[in-house]
Amino acid sequence: MAYFQSYSNTYGSPEDLKRYYDEALAHPGVIGLAVGTRPDCVPDPVLELLSDYQDQGYEVWLELGLQSSFDHTLEQINRGHSYDDYEDAVSRAKKYGLKLCTHLIVGLPGEEPEDSLVSFDRVTGLGVDAIKVHPLHIVKGTKMARKYRNGEVRELTMESYTDVLAKMILRAPEELLFHRLTGSGERQYLLSPEWSMHKWDVLGALYKKLEANEAEVIKSVNSALSRPARIK
């Protein structure tokens, strides 16, 4: 897959975008496109262009960076779009039959980690095909970094992050794909949280919680099966 990841990769004329996408698809071994963008940068002509590639047999994914379904959060972090913009983009993309992946960030300022479950439920309720989840990274030299140093932004703990992530996985629709479970920060830019740089530690903690949940489910089922049946 040719991944157009950084910035807004649908922000341009369809003619220019087609030239970029065609160049990527011309590379030997490339079977499709994953195009990351913002919910307010997907006009119908661009959706139609992506749909045309899908009709040609390419694997095409449209990735929408939502991050949160709460407008007050989006405003606070200066996203520049609303949740309504996201819903509109999803609705129109689905009309073109495009596969949709949504990005969510856990631990945003003004939100409790559990608030991300609300965003998750809203997004999956719209019928998206995949999710990418990321812990909040506080990057050096940003306004958020200054707020963090002043105690205005709390650091997300790995315990809280993996708790929320496990709940997302356990309540996810069966057909939902998780394209990403965490994101690693780069040491030269990352201020917090340090644990996000240790991907396998995060995934190990997550797997332990999922295994523990599975054990509880099995224990509950076995307990129910061992009870005498009621005969009426």
Side-chain angles (χ1 to χ4, degrees):
M1 299 288 289
Y3 190 12
F4 288 76
Q5 180 179 20
S6 300
Y7 309 110
S8 303
N9 297 288
T10 57
Y11 189 67
S13 70
E15 294 76 20
D16 287 341
L17 294 172
K18 185 178 187 304
R19 187 167 71 252
Y20 304 143
Y21 299 156
D22 284 350
E23 182 178 351
L25 290 169
H27 193 280
V30 172
I31 64 167
L33 300 171
V35 181
T37 191
R38 297 164 52 91
D40 55 343
C41 290
V42 283
D44 282 354
V46 175
L47 295 176
E48 184 176 2
L49 173 62
L50 294 174
S51 179
D52 287 343
Y53 288 118
Q54 193 164 261
D55 292 342
Q56 294 171 43
Y58 291 109
E59 178 89 1
V60 178
W61 282 87
L62 179 64
E63 299 195 6
L64 297 176
L66 173 62
Q67 319 312 350
S68 172
S69 68
F70 296 95
D71 283 341
H72 61 83
T73 301
L74 298 175
E75 184 175 353
Q76 183 175 351
I77 63 175
N78 199 29
R79 281 294 298 176
H81 64 75
S82 67
Y83 182 67
D84 284 345
D85 292 327
Y86 169 79
E87 283 192 315
D88 174 65
V90 169
S91 176
R92 289 184 294 106
K94 289 175 76 69
K95 290 179 182 178
Y96 286 94
L98 292 169
K99 295 185 180 73
L100 289 169
C101 177
T102 296
H103 294 213
L104 294 175
I105 293 178
V106 178
L108 287 166
E111 290 190 7
E112 296 296 328
E114 294 280 338
D115 290 332
S116 293
L117 291 175
V118 177
S119 293
F120 178 80
D121 289 342
R122 289 173 177 170
V123 165
T124 55
L126 295 176
V128 300
D129 304 282
I131 293 286
K132 284 189 175 182
V133 192
H134 200 298
L136 175 67
H137 286 171
I138 301 174
V139 179
K140 298 174 183 177
T142 62
K143 290 181 179 179
M144 193 178 295
R146 290 196 294 273
K147 289 184 177 181
Y148 171 74
R149 288 193 172 101
N150 292 334
E152 300 173 49
V153 177
R154 290 181 299 173
E155 178 177 286
L156 177 68
T157 66
M158 187 170 74
E159 179 74 14
S160 294
Y161 181 69
T162 52
D163 276 348
V164 169
L165 198 52
K167 289 174 183 176
M168 286 182 178
I169 293 171
L170 293 168
R171 70 204 293 166
E174 185 176 353
E175 66 277 8
L176 184 74
L177 300 175
F178 282 84
H179 282 187
R180 182 175 65 200
L181 295 173
T182 188
S184 303
E186 294 188 38
R187 188 175 298 276
Q188 59 179 325
Y189 303 119
L190 184 71
L191 180 61
S192 172
E194 191 274 340
W195 56 261
S196 69
M197 291 186 288
H198 307 290
K199 175 181 178 180
W200 295 110
D201 290 345
V202 177
L203 294 179
L206 170 65
Y207 295 157
K208 284 181 180 179
K209 289 180 179 180
L210 292 174
E211 288 171 354
N213 181 274
E214 182 181 33
E216 285 300 312
V217 171
I218 293 173
K219 180 179 178 181
S220 176
V221 170
N222 288 340
S223 175
L225 292 175
S226 67
R227 287 195 293 268
R230 292 184 178 181
I231 300 176
K232 293 185 179 180

